[in-house]
Amino acid sequence: MLRPVVALPLDYRNRVLRALTAQIDRFFAPSAFLRDRYVEQGFPAERMRVIENGMDLARLTAARDIQSETALFPRPHFGFLGTLAWQKGAHVLVDAFNRLPPEIGSLFVYGSDSAFPEYAAALHTAIEHPNVRISPPVAYDDVGSVLRSFDALVVPSLWYENSPLVIQEAYAVGVPVIASRLGALIEKVEEKRTGRLFTAGNSAELAEVLLTLCHHPELLAAYHLQLPRPPSMEEHSRELLAEYAQLLTARKSKSAAAGKR
């Protein structure tokens, strides 16, 4: 009985959005995946541009003294940074690590448990491997230092990611990435070049990847050498300004042409 009532404001919203879309000269997306999703929904492909997010490289690469447990555990050190929420897949990572022999590797999970406390509690309970630790979220200025303590970052997302900043942050400090074969993660992580990919939600497959890297740490060293350098905030800004300048030039040319008619 409520569906027609709900549909009316949604239809009005959609009509307003379509009208606004027609007035926009350029749309920006941080990944080809996100761009393609917008085009599928009817956004004009010719007005879409992919521009990667800029990074505060100075903050990430600054040397900061932080207390870290990693030195007390066997390498390789794998890490997770993010919200402790189902869609981020930390439980998949913990389950994968539980499948590894207890004497190899270590896992450090950093994330807030305040948003989904029941999930976080279950995550703690699920830990069986002796070298898994869950810690509070990382302070903004310490992200680079914590990432540098990892041999690889793991992004085990179960839902689409557009362009995770944490992957760019990891690359900025020379850390390879292991990620779900899902959404924009496929274009952000090059298989066996900048890291590894696995089927989203498949903890057994992830465990195989982790085990391989534990037995062959030279692979991680090879990935490290091939990591891309993410754009700085200054480079990102210049790219955006160039797009605006191009649009302004085109608009002036169009107005001049119209005035001569």
Side-chain angles (χ1 to χ4, degrees), residues 14-248:
N14 291 339
R15 284 189 284 113
V16 170
L17 288 175
R18 281 195 293 270
L20 290 174
T21 298
Q23 301 175 44
I24 295 174
D25 296 304
R26 187 75 81 239
F27 297 92
F28 299 108
S31 67
F33 169 78
L34 182 58
R35 175 202 60 199
D36 294 345
R37 300 292 79 74
Y38 276 122
V39 172
E40 286 177 0
Q41 296 301 315
F43 282 71
E46 68 277 7
R47 285 189 268 156
M48 300 291 297
R49 296 288 185 275
V50 176
I51 295 182
E52 183 55 86
N53 292 309
M55 293 283 103
D56 183 354
L57 299 179
R59 171 182 64 87
L60 292 168
T61 56
R64 290 178 60 85
D65 292 327
I66 61 169
Q67 290 186 341
S68 174
E69 293 183 288
T70 53
L72 305 175
F73 292 87
R75 298 184 73 169
H77 302 317
F78 300 96
F80 170 98
L81 265 68
T83 304
L84 299 185
W86 177 88
Q87 66 271 20
K88 294 297 184 180
H91 62 287
V92 176
L93 176 54
V94 168
D95 184 54
F97 225 85
N98 286 339
R99 298 168 184 262
L100 301 186
E103 69 276 6
I104 66 170
S106 53
L107 171 64
F108 301 88
V109 176
Y110 291 87
S112 172
D113 58 5
S114 60
F116 303 94
E118 292 183 3
Y119 174 85
L123 193 65
H124 281 272
T125 303
I127 296 173
E128 298 173 3
H129 196 286
N131 300 334
V132 177
R133 293 293 181 273
I134 298 181
S135 301
V138 179
Y140 180 70
D141 287 335
D142 292 336
V143 169
S145 296
V146 170
L147 283 170
R148 280 195 296 273
S149 71
F150 301 158
D151 293 297
L153 172 75
V154 187
V155 183
S157 301
L158 294 169
W159 195 248
Y160 288 151
E161 298 279 4
N162 295 325
S163 184
L165 293 179
V166 72
I167 290 181
Q168 297 294 92
E169 292 171 333
Y171 287 166
V173 297
V175 177
V177 176
I178 303 165
S180 301
R181 193 178 291 106
L182 182 72
L185 299 178
I186 299 170
E187 66 185 270
K188 302 300 177 182
V189 180
E190 294 187 56
E191 177 70 5
K192 296 183 179 180
R193 187 174 183 276
T194 64
R196 296 292 300 274
L197 295 167
F198 67 96
T199 304
N202 191 328
S203 58
E205 185 180 342
L206 175 55
E208 288 290 333
V209 171
L210 296 173
L211 188 61
T212 297
L213 296 175
C214 285
H215 287 317
H216 299 281
E218 71 276 7
L219 294 175
L220 289 170
Y223 302 156
H224 165 81
L225 295 175
Q226 302 177 86
L227 297 179
R229 175 187 173 279
S232 66
M233 289 300 295
E234 292 77 13
E235 291 166 333
H236 175 79
S237 299
R238 284 197 294 270
E239 194 168 2
L240 285 176
L241 287 172
E243 288 283 345
Y244 282 115
Q246 184 182 42
L247 290 171
L248 288 171

